[in-house]
Amino acid sequence: MDIIVNGKNISVKENTTIYEIKEQFKNDSDIVILNGFQVTEDCILNKNDNVVLIKKGEIPDKDELESLMVSRHTPTVHKKVKRACVGIAGLGGLGSNVAISLARIGIGKLILVDFDIVEPTNLNRQQYFIKHLGICKTEALKEIIEDINPYINIEVHNEYITSENVLDLFDEAEIIVEAFDNPKCKAELVNTVLSSKNNKVVVSASGMAGYFSNNTIKTLKINERFYIVGDRINEAKIGCGLMAPRVAIAANHQANTVLRIIMGEKDV
């Protein structure tokens, strides 16, 4: 009968047990997951059972990790995601969250651009840790992503993005995520990219401050190459700051919009 072990299809005889599989494939594993649940006792396997053998602290090899991703995403989805290259302009509350969501789905390549360092006020909403204080955001985020999936191709540029360099920085990216705080910088990036002769798509954001309703964060398709996420009203100001929950909602709208574009779903 056929079962899956660490993402790979194998054939075993009837009445094969969990412990027999462990002994055969990874006898030094510490944890056994059967169909999504940890098991601590031996049992007989059934056809199409999914077994994951884990040794604590061990990094799966590239093929093993990819096969596990495929089992979650299906081969068609994974193949398209793996081929995609996405640029992220700004690695703050939006950009750091978008990057991590895209890393978790196994995006092929990320181009990460920011000129800033991690400082204490960033920790209220951005995906950094105390140990990253004083480190360039590009390098800190690259380190975090490599802890999630060391096989993603990550290109970093510790630069200030302008209308003069944005197209060169994101030359390889099919989709650019605009993740700036400054409205002027947002407009400059969007206008520069959309007025160029390439076919790059921009996923922008505006309005995610405060603790207003989740449901006011929306994704709008402005045209074939431009999407905008947010409530388009609540920008950061005194008494209405940027806070982790709502910023992360907007960021994951952006990430899911990127995924939908990759998959050929062009409507919101």
Side-chain angles (χ1 to χ4, degrees):
M1 65 178 182
D2 293 332
I3 64 170
I4 301 170
V5 178
N6 283 20
K8 297 180 181 179
N9 293 309
I10 65 167
S11 294
V12 297
K13 62 184 181 181
E14 298 285 339
N15 297 317
T16 296
T17 70
I18 281 281
Y19 284 1
E20 287 173 332
I21 291 297
K22 178 181 175 182
E23 183 177 355
Q24 181 179 352
F25 290 94
K26 202 167 194 173
N27 196 36
D28 60 350
S29 58
D30 303 300
I31 298 170
V32 179
I33 306 294
L34 174 60
N35 300 326
F37 296 92
Q38 184 176 350
V39 294
T40 56
E41 296 180 358
D42 201 9
C43 63
I44 294 174
L45 292 166
N46 298 307
K47 183 179 179 181
N48 297 324
D49 274 348
N50 192 330
V51 180
V52 180
L53 304 170
I54 301 170
K55 182 177 181 181
K56 292 179 183 178
E58 182 180 77
I59 299 174
D61 64 36
K62 186 174 182 179
D63 290 341
E64 184 177 340
L65 183 59
E66 184 165 326
S67 66
L68 292 169
M69 297 283 277
V70 168
S71 71
R72 282 291 184 182
H73 297 155
T74 75
T76 301
V77 173
H78 183 74
K79 185 176 180 180
K80 289 185 176 181
V81 170
K82 186 183 175 183
R83 286 202 306 254
C85 176
V86 178
I88 302 180
L91 305 178
L94 290 171
S96 62
N97 277 285
V98 172
I100 285 176
S101 286
L102 294 179
R104 290 195 183 281
I105 63 171
I107 207 80
K109 181 173 182 177
L110 287 171
I111 302 174
L112 308 178
V113 186
D114 199 307
F115 70 97
D116 209 356
I117 63 169
V118 180
E119 49 94 358
T121 64
N122 297 153
L123 302 181
N124 87 316
R125 68 196 184 282
Q126 303 180 20
Q127 290 291 347
Y128 304 109
F129 302 95
I130 291 287
K131 69 177 182 177
H132 295 127
L133 292 177
I135 297 174
C136 293
K137 287 183 178 179
T138 49
E139 295 302 324
L141 192 56
K142 184 175 186 287
E143 176 187 300
I144 294 167
I145 291 171
E146 288 174 344
D147 281 342
I148 295 168
N149 185 338
Y151 307 114
I152 291 174
N153 186 356
I154 304 171
E155 179 182 322
V156 299
H157 297 277
N158 190 42
E159 294 187 42
Y160 187 87
I161 299 171
T162 67
S163 58
E164 284 73 34
N165 66 11
V166 62
L167 295 176
D168 287 336
L169 288 170
F170 296 114
D171 180 59
E172 192 178 344
E174 303 103 350
I175 304 166
I176 300 173
V177 176
E178 178 277 304
F180 294 146
D181 290 333
N182 187 306
K184 182 179 178 181
C185 293
K186 287 175 179 287
E188 186 176 46
L189 181 146
V190 171
N191 291 334
T192 300
V193 175
L194 296 185
S195 63
S196 66
K197 294 181 179 180
N198 60 57
N199 292 316
K200 298 183 189 301
V201 177
V202 178
V203 180
S204 188
S206 177
M208 74 285 307
Y211 49 90
F212 302 99
S213 170
N214 305 337
N215 300 323
T216 58
I217 301 288
K218 298 183 182 299
T219 303
L220 298 177
K221 181 180 180 180
I222 307 302
N223 58 47
E224 290 298 319
R225 293 178 55 205
F226 185 37
Y227 296 75
I228 189 164
V229 168
D231 65 19
R232 305 182 74 182
I233 298 171
N234 293 294
E235 298 293 348
K237 59 185 178 181
I238 295 174
C240 183
L242 294 165
M243 303 175 72
R246 218 157 175 266
V247 170
I249 290 170
N252 281 294
H253 267 255
Q254 288 185 291
N256 195 56
T257 300
V258 169
L259 176 58
R260 286 178 58 75
I261 295 167
I262 291 168
M263 295 307 301
E265 301 290 340
K266 299 298 179 68
D267 294 326
V268 296

